[in-house]
Amino acid sequence: MKITTYNLNGINGRVALLLRWLALAEPDVVCLQEFNPSDERFPERAILDHGYEAIWLGQKSWHGVAILSRVGEIHDTRRGLPGEPEDVQSRYIGSAVDGVLIVGLYLPNGNPRPGPKFDYNLRWSDWLHDHLSTLVALDSPVVVAGHFNVMPTDFDVYVPDHWRDDALFAAEVREAYARLLELGWTDALRHLHPDERIYTFGKYCDVFP
């Protein structure tokens, strides 16, 4: 199963781009983040016509997560983190597809630092840690994919010195990500390429002509 993640930065202005990418990359499952519109404006019909089922949790502005599948029915398992009344932003969605539990997430951006957004990033990371600690021990395969809003190492970003003051480069944010791995999760990219400079974080841009 080919599982991918895609940060859209707004879906309704980029539906054609998304559909073109689906045709080129041919993923089986896609976790989308930051598609922005409210639930009723999600372009389900266009995605269905392209061969993908979809579930989504929308929210106007810089939020929204969705999961697309072309390899079987998507069983909706969770919307939002459990037991957290402060978790009012649409940043977490869980599903089961063809025997695999797939989580799509969009961790809050912590900028500017210090400030309430940075504090919320750390709180949300704690909530996520508590929840993922219950999933890592499951017998079924589990994939957590999305936008973690972190630069875990200098290898993950171009010119690291340019990012030292960014919240996503902060020691606390890196430590929160490291604590997830300590639970037993595997960073798939670093597992395959532990010492290569492969950029996992960058400013948004459209990459298809």
Side-chain angles (χ1 to χ4, degrees):
M1 183 185 292
K2 184 178 181 180
I3 302 172
T4 61
T5 180
Y6 194 141
N7 187 296
L8 277 166
N9 193 23
I11 193 170
N12 283 322
R14 295 183 173 89
V15 174
L17 181 66
L18 172 63
L19 297 181
R20 193 187 330 168
W21 175 77
L22 291 174
L24 287 170
E26 297 184 330
D28 296 315
V29 177
V30 186
C31 295
L32 300 177
Q33 314 89 46
E34 202 177 355
F35 64 76
N36 297 357
S38 54
D39 281 343
E40 63 273 10
R41 295 188 60 214
F42 186 83
E44 181 182 18
R45 183 73 263 163
I47 290 170
L48 282 171
D49 290 345
H50 218 67
Y52 287 82
E53 295 186 24
I55 61 171
W56 63 93
L57 180 62
Q59 189 172 17
K60 191 176 181 180
S61 297
W62 300 282
H63 312 129
V65 284
I67 298 175
L68 317 182
S69 169
R70 68 170 186 170
V71 291
E73 183 180 356
I74 306 176
H75 300 278
D76 193 337
T77 61
R78 175 165 295 283
R79 293 166 178 260
L81 292 172
E84 296 301 341
E86 289 186 75
D87 183 24
V88 297
Q89 299 177 357
S90 298
R91 295 185 175 276
Y92 182 102
I93 192 166
S95 69
V97 180
D98 197 23
V100 180
L101 181 62
I102 299 172
V103 169
L105 63 83
Y106 178 43
L107 206 141
N109 186 301
N111 286 297
R113 174 179 68 111
K117 290 186 177 181
F118 186 68
D119 295 341
Y120 187 69
N121 172 292
L122 298 180
R123 289 202 308 277
W124 206 91
S125 295
D126 286 341
W127 302 335
L128 180 66
H129 179 277
D130 291 345
H131 179 55
L132 292 189
S133 69
T134 69
L135 300 185
V136 73
L138 294 177
D139 291 334
S140 302
V142 184
V143 175
V144 182
H147 193 335
F148 284 81
N149 262 325
V150 63
M151 307 171 203
T153 72
D154 285 8
F155 287 132
D156 290 281
V157 64
Y158 182 68
V159 191
D161 285 345
H162 291 178
W163 297 93
R164 300 295 181 193
D165 295 330
D166 194 283
L168 309 186
F169 212 84
E172 301 95 318
V173 174
R174 287 181 161 194
E175 289 166 4
Y177 182 75
R179 288 198 306 122
L180 293 178
L181 301 184
E182 289 167 2
L183 289 172
W185 297 99
T186 299
D187 183 326
L189 187 142
R190 288 302 165 206
H191 177 73
L192 296 172
H193 308 282
D195 301 314
E196 294 183 42
R197 183 171 292 283
I198 298 174
Y199 305 129
T200 64
F201 185 90
K203 291 187 176 180
Y204 177 82
C205 63
D206 287 338
V207 294
F208 296 102

